[in-house]
């Protein structure tokens, strides 16, 4: 997994057909997805329950590229090794999920995965300043975590602050929540390079009719890349 700042589209399988995950992962990659984003929720840290390591292990053979696992769980540390063993390329933990995020990031890297840190809308960019040399990705939540399909919360000021803090470090800025062709322009302009999108990608298509996925992915990418045109 090499680093570059090209726009990457990371469809969230939270919006996919739960009964057909393998085919859905293959379909979105064939239609141009760069990463596959897996939203893990525990019903404790966030008010929803989704997937565990077994689901990640089951879909891993169907993913050729990056499997990006976003842990919206607390505690995090007891589950890191299981998600790494399931094939996660990136494991992201929330800064708010426990008192020892430094230890969590150490554990993620020790398990062989890239380390991400996620910030809820109420958490400032400055929260990660002491951790910048321990992370490969910062995920800016542009909704309150827990459910797909929520309305975008404007975090462009935070994104710009993170971009300035990161400087020339090889750290991705990922956006998760309410991303569509309209909001993609805003966040890319502010400095984001990985865009997670759920309903905006999967709307109108299916694993057996994947062309709408490609249309949706291209629309988001073109909007974001228009910043650099």
């Amino acid at each position: 997994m090499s680093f570059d700042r090209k726009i990457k589209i990371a469809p969230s399988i939270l919006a996919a057909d739960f009964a057909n995950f393998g085919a859905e992962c293959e379909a979105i990659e064939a239609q141009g997805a760069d990463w596959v984003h897996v939203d893990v929720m525990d019903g404790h840290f966030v008010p929803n329950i989704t997937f565990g390591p077994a689901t990640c292990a089951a879909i891993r053979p169907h993913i050729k590229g990056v499997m990006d696992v976003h842990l919206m769980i607390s505690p995090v540390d007891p589950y890191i090794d299981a998600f790494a063993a399931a094939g996660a390329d990136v494991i992201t933990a929330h800064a708010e999920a426990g008192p020892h995020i430094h230890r969590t990031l150490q554990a993620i890297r020790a398990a062989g995965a890239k380390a991400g840190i996620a910030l809820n809308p109420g958490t400032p960019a400055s929260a990660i300043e002491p951790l910048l040399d321990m992370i490969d990705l910062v995920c800016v939540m542009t909704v309150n975590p827990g459910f797909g399909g929520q309305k975008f919360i404007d975090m462009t000021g935070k994104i710009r602050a993170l971009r300035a803090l990161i400087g020339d470090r090889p750290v991705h800025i990922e956006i998760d929540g309410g991303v569509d062709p309209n909001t993609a322009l805003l966040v890319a302009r502010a400095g984001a390079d990985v865009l997670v999108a759920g309903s905006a990608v999967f709307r109108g298509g299916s694993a057996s009719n994947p062309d709408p996925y490609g249309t949706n992915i291209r629309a988001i990418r073109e909007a974001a890349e228009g910043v650099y045109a």
Side-chain angles (χ1 to χ4, degrees):
M1 181 179 160
S2 59
F3 180 84
D4 64 63
R5 294 201 187 280
K6 294 177 183 175
I7 294 294
K8 295 166 189 62
I9 309 300
S12 167
I13 63 167
L14 188 63
D17 177 0
F18 280 28
N20 211 12
F21 271 152
E24 291 277 55
C25 291
E26 292 173 4
I28 56 175
E29 285 196 322
Q31 291 293 327
D34 301 290
W35 295 7
V36 175
H37 188 82
V38 185
D39 285 309
V40 176
M41 305 182 191
D42 64 357
H44 168 68
F45 180 66
V46 294
N48 197 7
I49 298 173
T50 57
F51 325 115
T55 302
C56 291
I59 64 174
R60 178 72 258 193
H62 300 273
I63 299 171
K64 295 177 181 177
V66 172
M67 184 163 74
D68 174 32
V69 177
H70 177 191
L71 299 182
M72 288 170 271
I73 67 175
S74 179
V76 178
D77 294 11
Y79 303 98
I80 290 169
D81 286 344
F83 282 103
D89 296 293
V90 182
I91 298 177
T92 296
H94 272 256
E96 309 86 1
H100 305 299
I101 188 63
H102 187 285
R103 179 182 296 158
T104 299
L105 295 169
Q106 285 180 314
I108 292 170
R109 284 191 161 178
K114 298 290 187 182
I117 186 168
L119 302 178
N120 283 336
T123 303
S126 59
I128 71 159
E129 193 164 2
L131 306 168
L132 286 168
D133 294 316
M134 297 189 65
I135 61 174
D136 302 286
L137 176 147
V138 54
C139 175
V140 178
M141 296 302 301
T142 44
V143 296
N144 287 295
F147 297 95
Q150 297 185 70
K151 186 178 178 181
F152 177 82
I153 300 171
D154 188 351
M155 290 284 127
T156 49
K158 184 190 292 188
I159 298 165
R160 285 192 292 270
L162 287 166
R163 187 82 279 286
L165 285 172
I166 289 166
D168 60 1
R169 295 176 177 87
V171 176
H172 295 291
I173 298 178
E174 178 176 76
I175 306 302
D176 188 353
V179 171
D180 61 24
N182 296 318
T183 56
L185 174 64
L186 296 176
V187 298
R189 183 183 289 155
D193 60 289
V194 181
L195 308 184
V196 176
S199 55
V201 166
F202 286 96
R203 184 181 296 116
S206 65
S208 59
N209 176 34
D211 287 351
Y213 296 169
T215 300
N216 296 338
I217 288 168
R218 285 190 296 274
I220 296 168
R221 189 188 307 280
E222 288 168 7
E225 290 180 343
V227 173
Y228 308 109

